Amino acid sequence: MDQFLFFLVAFLAVASAVYFVFARNPLYAILSLIVTMFSIAGMYILLNAQFLAIIQIIVYAGAIMVLFLYILMMLNLNKADESKKGNTLKFIGVFTAGLLLVGVLGVFRGVQQNHIVVENVDRSIGLTKNLGRLLFNEYVLPFELASILILAGIVGAVLIGKKDL
């Protein structure tokens, strides 16, 4: 069941990434990129890496995609302003995808089909609880220093941006 879910989410990620490349409307392209980022977060969850999944959603699907949408709306692209994609770019894209396909097939050809059965697998690896325990026990001083540095950067950005303080 896990393998089926993984392949389903992987197919969704690849399909939305391909739609991102071939979309004519920039807004639909960015929305398909958001679907790709959420699909990658779903793959992280299926691989038992919950912290990476949450970071993927917060940083990429949240902050960066909102920034992309904001820039797109600020540019106000119309169909008359949009430049036509030439056939040379499409040819280069197809050629590069073909090279990637040949590389992937070469990798799969070199992989041996030896299945190793692992019985003593630690299922707690990658959990957020273990990361938090490590961060707040062994690395508490560097963690707090990094938070003070980030706070100083935020205060500096506000002071530079606001001239009437």
Side-chain angles (χ1 to χ4, degrees), residues 10-28:
F11 175 75
L12 181 64
V14 170
S16 61
V18 167
Y19 183 77
F20 169 75
V21 172
F22 291 111
R24 295 247 184 235
N25 190 346
L27 182 64
Y28 293 153

Side-chain angles (χ1 to χ4, degrees), residues 52 60-61 66 69 77 79 81 87 98 102 116 123 132 157 159:
L52 285 177
Y60 290 108
V66 167
L69 282 172
L77 295 176
K79 289 195 183 260
D81 297 337
N87 287 335
V102 168
I116 300 171
R123 297 285 181 194
L159 287 176

Side-chain angles (χ1 to χ4, degrees), residues 5-156:
L5 282 174
F6 182 80
F7 283 124
L8 181 72
V9 172
F11 175 75
L12 181 64
V14 170
S16 61
V18 167
Y19 183 77
F20 169 75
V21 172
F22 291 111
R24 295 247 184 235
N25 190 346
L27 182 64
Y28 293 153
I30 290 176
L31 290 176
S32 70
L33 192 59
I34 292 173
V35 171
T36 305
M37 295 299 169
F38 274 108
S39 300
I40 292 172
M43 283 191 273
Y44 283 145
I45 288 173
L46 290 172
L47 292 172
N48 201 24
Q50 290 87 2
F51 180 73
L52 285 177
I54 295 300
I55 294 300
Q56 176 80 21
I57 291 172
I58 291 171
V59 173
Y60 290 108
I64 293 177
M65 290 299 118
V66 167
L67 181 67
F68 280 174
L69 282 172
Y70 180 72
I71 289 171
L72 181 71
M73 290 177 186
M74 290 276 297
L75 289 177
N76 195 13
L77 295 176
N78 296 328
K79 289 195 183 260
D81 297 337
E82 211 172 307
S83 64
K84 301 284 185 189
K85 292 183 180 178
N87 287 335
T88 56
L89 288 177
K90 290 179 184 177
F91 176 73
I92 291 171
V94 169
F95 180 72
T96 307
L99 286 178
L100 181 67
L101 179 67
V102 168
V104 168
L105 290 177
V107 168
F108 282 138
R109 186 175 180 204
V111 173
Q112 295 178 354
Q113 296 297 327
N114 295 338
H115 296 287
I116 300 171
V117 177
V118 180
E119 295 179 8
N120 297 328
V121 176
D122 187 13
R123 297 285 181 194
S124 66
I125 293 176
L127 294 178
T128 312
K129 179 173 71 173
N130 295 338
L131 180 66
R133 187 177 300 126
L134 189 67
L135 250 165
F136 291 116
N137 286 336
E138 289 185 37
Y139 298 105
V140 69
L141 183 64
F143 181 73
E144 292 298 326
L145 289 175
S147 66
I148 291 171
L149 184 65
I150 290 171
L151 180 64
I154 291 171
V155 169

